[in-house]
């Protein structure tokens, strides 16, 4: 198992370096969040030993468990899942980044919890670029007003919106994937011209990271390509 993980890790690193070079990007501008959901902490340890520091989880309880098991490890935790308001206190205690914020009531609760522990919480706003009904996120047409509201209410001093996140449709159609990612980038560019802190693009998973990199991703969220297929029980 360790060899499997190490091989995946190093071959993936080489691959994204290659892709970055081919599209004229500095590979160092591309962070890999290793999505460890459904895999035990010892898998995280193996990648940690290879130098990986950023790990992503989509369920609060699972992140709490691993955070505690890996006490003392210098890990950046990324919360990437659906946010339940009653879990926000714990998420804010642990997560360096929250990728999946899109409701004002989540923003309010994150602010409250971050303020109470004197933390600036870095977040991404999730955008439902593809418009699929099953997907979470702001509509593209709502993003600007939402950001303006958050930035100009002035009561969210403990939140830093660092970028936008999206999940592409589950498809192998390159045109659809490319359009999803380039649309997110355009929304981000427009915001960035007004709010300089909004710079990052969290997009690209095991199925579509090549296109995401070509379209400007700065945070990839990669599970299967590193850890193998997840088993759900
Ligand atoms: C599970 C998950 C990923 C990783 O998916 P893979 O296809 O296994 O790379 C990325 N982002 C989110 C939000 C996820 O829930």
């Amino acid at each position: 198992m360790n060899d499997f993980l190490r091989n995946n890790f190093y071959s993936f690193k080489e691959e994204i370096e290659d892709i970055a070079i081919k599209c004229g990007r500095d590979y160092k501008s591309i962070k890999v969040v290793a999505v460890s959901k459904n895999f035990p902490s010892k898998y995280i340890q193996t990648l940690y030993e290879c130098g990986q520091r950023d790990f992503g989880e989509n369920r609060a309880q699972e992140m709490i468990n691993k955070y505690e098991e890996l006490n003392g490890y210098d890990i950046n935790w990324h919360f990437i899942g659906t946010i339940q308001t009653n879990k926000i206190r714990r998420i804010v205690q642990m997560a360096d980044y929250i990728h999946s914020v899109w409701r004002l009531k989540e923003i309010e609760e994150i602010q409250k919890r971050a303020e109470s522990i004197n933390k600036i919480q870095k977040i991404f706003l999730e955008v439902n670029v593809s418009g699929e009904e099953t997907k979470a996120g702001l509509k593209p047409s709502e993003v600007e007003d939402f950001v303006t509201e958050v930035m100009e209410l002035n009561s969210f001093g403990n939140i830093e919106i660092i970028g936008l996140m999206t999940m592409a449709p589950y498809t192998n159609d390159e045109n659809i994937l490319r359009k999803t990612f380039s649309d997110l980038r355009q929304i981000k560019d427009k915001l960035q011209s007004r709010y300089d802190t909004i710079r990052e693009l969290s997009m690209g998973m095991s199925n579509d990271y090549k296109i995401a990199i070509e379209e400007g991703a700065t945070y990839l969220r990669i599970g299967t390509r590193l850890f193998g297929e997840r088993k759900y029980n």
Side-chain angles (χ1 to χ4, degrees), residues 164-179:
L164 302 180
M165 179 275 230
T166 200
M167 288 180 71
Y170 191 74
T171 174
N172 289 320
D173 184 327
E174 243 194 81
N175 294 324
I176 294 174
L177 296 170
R178 196 173 294 287
K179 176 150 187 352

Side-chain angles (χ1 to χ4, degrees), residues 35 37 58 80 165 167 205-207 221-224 230:
V35 177
K37 64 184 184 194
N58 72 335
I80 63 172
M165 179 275 230
M167 288 180 71
M205 302 170 36
S206 296
N207 186 45
R221 306 180 312 273
I222 306 295
T224 312
R230 287 180 291 277

Side-chain angles (χ1 to χ4, degrees), residues 92-169:
V92 168
Q93 278 175 347
M94 292 174 295
D96 297 283
Y97 302 82
I98 306 175
H99 290 240
S100 41
V101 182
W102 64 285
R103 293 186 171 97
L104 197 58
K105 71 170 179 12
E106 295 163 357
I107 296 264
E108 288 165 349
E109 186 66 16
I110 291 169
Q111 166 60 31
K112 183 174 134 197
R113 298 306 184 175
E115 190 178 356
S116 77
I117 59 170
N118 224 343
K119 172 185 187 183
I120 307 287
Q121 179 67 59
K122 290 181 163 59
I123 67 165
F124 292 83
L125 294 179
E126 182 167 356
V127 184
N128 183 1
V129 177
S130 63
E132 288 168 288
E133 283 189 14
T134 53
K135 281 210 156 63
L138 293 156
K139 290 189 190 136
S141 61
E142 298 170 340
V143 179
E144 208 173 332
D145 284 349
F146 188 86
V147 170
T148 305
E149 197 176 344
V150 173
M151 292 294 198
E152 281 159 28
L153 275 182
N154 267 339
S155 46
F156 298 114
N158 294 78
I159 289 181
E160 186 179 352
I161 303 174
I162 64 165
L164 302 180
M165 179 275 230
T166 200
M167 288 180 71

